[in-house]
Amino acid sequence: NADARIEWLPDALAAASTGGISEKRKLYTNSERVILRPRAWIAITSFNPQFAADAGLSDRLLVVRLNRREGSTAEATLTDEVRAARDAGLSWICDVLAIALADTAPVPECLNQRHPDFAAMAVRIGRAMGQETEAVAALRSAEQDKSLFNLENDSIAATILEMLRNGIPFAGTASELLERLKLTDPSLEGKLSVKRLSNRISKLWPHMDAALQAEREVGHGGAMRYTLRPPRNG
């Protein structure tokens, strides 16, 4: 669980997701060093995923949104369900993966910008299940959703989302956008400057472009002008 802001976590997750290594002392009693390499994917559960405010990390995420489970959540009951389905489930997984690994037919491109190999394998797994169309649709939706996930968990971007979800698009400069944001969240008064807003938009722009039908251009006098619309998926 990662529900609090942890300064080092985004960088560590980004490095691990791309095969980065971590070098540290093996013991405090001597100078021997040890190199740690990621050997599996990392899964992070969170109700308040503040780590996702990091734009670079969000681009590497595979977001799985879960609804709260209803009904019995007794550990013994859930364990019994897993045990009853384990053998048949594992056999089915092996059969599907064998078909997918033997599949050399082409797959659509640009389904995941950061992990194209993962996307290609996911399509082949979907094809082996007889659900290729559904797999491609899910990958495209997930690619857009990770951008929205980033914006939802950044304090400034979240206010922009709230403003846009009122149904009114925005077109103007960062200075004009700041005034609109203050109307949405009066607590920003005196806490957010035009320069800080501009810098944050610059860092978030790839995700704003993907999720908000966003456009930007240099206007008269050299000031950047932005056009922002509500998220494509609402």
Side-chain angles (χ1 to χ4, degrees):
N1 293 307
D3 289 335
R5 181 170 178 80
I6 305 172
E7 292 293 337
W8 55 264
L9 183 60
D11 287 343
L13 291 175
S17 69
T18 50
I21 63 172
S22 175
E23 184 176 353
K24 58 188 295 185
R25 287 176 63 178
K26 186 175 183 179
L27 302 172
Y28 289 106
T29 54
N30 58 44
S31 60
E32 184 180 358
R33 311 288 292 182
V34 61
I35 295 177
L36 305 177
R37 292 183 172 87
R39 299 179 61 184
W41 286 19
I42 301 173
I44 309 101
T45 59
S46 178
F47 181 77
N48 181 30
Q50 296 185 36
F51 61 85
D54 185 286
L57 173 61
S58 291
D59 208 28
R60 294 167 168 84
L61 291 175
L62 301 174
V63 181
V64 181
R65 297 179 185 262
L66 300 175
N67 295 324
R68 184 178 180 86
R69 183 182 174 94
E70 297 179 357
S72 174
T73 57
E75 183 175 351
T77 302
L78 299 178
T79 301
D80 288 342
E81 290 181 12
V82 173
R83 186 179 295 113
R86 177 181 293 156
D87 291 348
L90 289 176
S91 297
W92 179 83
I93 289 172
C94 290
D95 289 341
V96 170
L97 289 179
I99 296 171
L101 290 169
D103 185 353
T104 58
V107 301
E109 297 181 351
C110 300
L111 295 178
N112 189 295
Q113 296 294 329
R114 284 284 184 174
H115 304 289
D117 293 338
F118 155 78
M121 187 61 185
V123 171
R124 292 188 171 105
I125 290 173
R127 187 181 292 161
M129 296 167 56
Q131 294 181 309
E132 179 179 358
T133 300
E134 292 85 345
V136 171
L139 286 163
R140 285 179 173 152
S141 177
E143 186 71 358
Q144 180 181 327
D145 188 45
K146 70 182 182 184
S147 291
L148 187 60
F149 188 66
N150 169 249
L151 301 181
E152 289 173 342
N153 290 285
D154 179 90
S155 58
I156 295 175
T159 306
I160 293 175
L161 283 176
E162 183 180 351
M163 176 193 77
L164 294 175
R165 280 171 171 157
N166 290 329
I168 303 176
F170 169 82
T173 64
S175 178
E176 293 168 328
L177 177 58
L178 179 57
E179 294 307 312
R180 281 278 299 276
L181 294 180
K182 289 178 183 177
L183 294 176
T184 302
D185 183 1
S187 69
L188 294 177
E189 183 69 50
K191 295 182 180 179
L192 181 63
S193 65
V194 173
K195 181 177 181 180
R196 184 186 168 204
L197 176 59
S198 298
N199 290 340
R200 194 62 193 152
I201 289 176
S202 179
K203 291 182 178 179
L204 295 170
W205 189 255
H207 295 298
M208 295 181 70
D209 183 35
L212 301 181
Q213 309 174 61
E215 300 172 8
R216 60 180 176 178
E217 61 180 357
V218 178
H220 296 296
M224 187 70 72
R225 293 187 62 83
Y226 305 95
T227 300
L228 308 175
R229 301 178 182 87
R232 291 185 176 90
N233 63 357

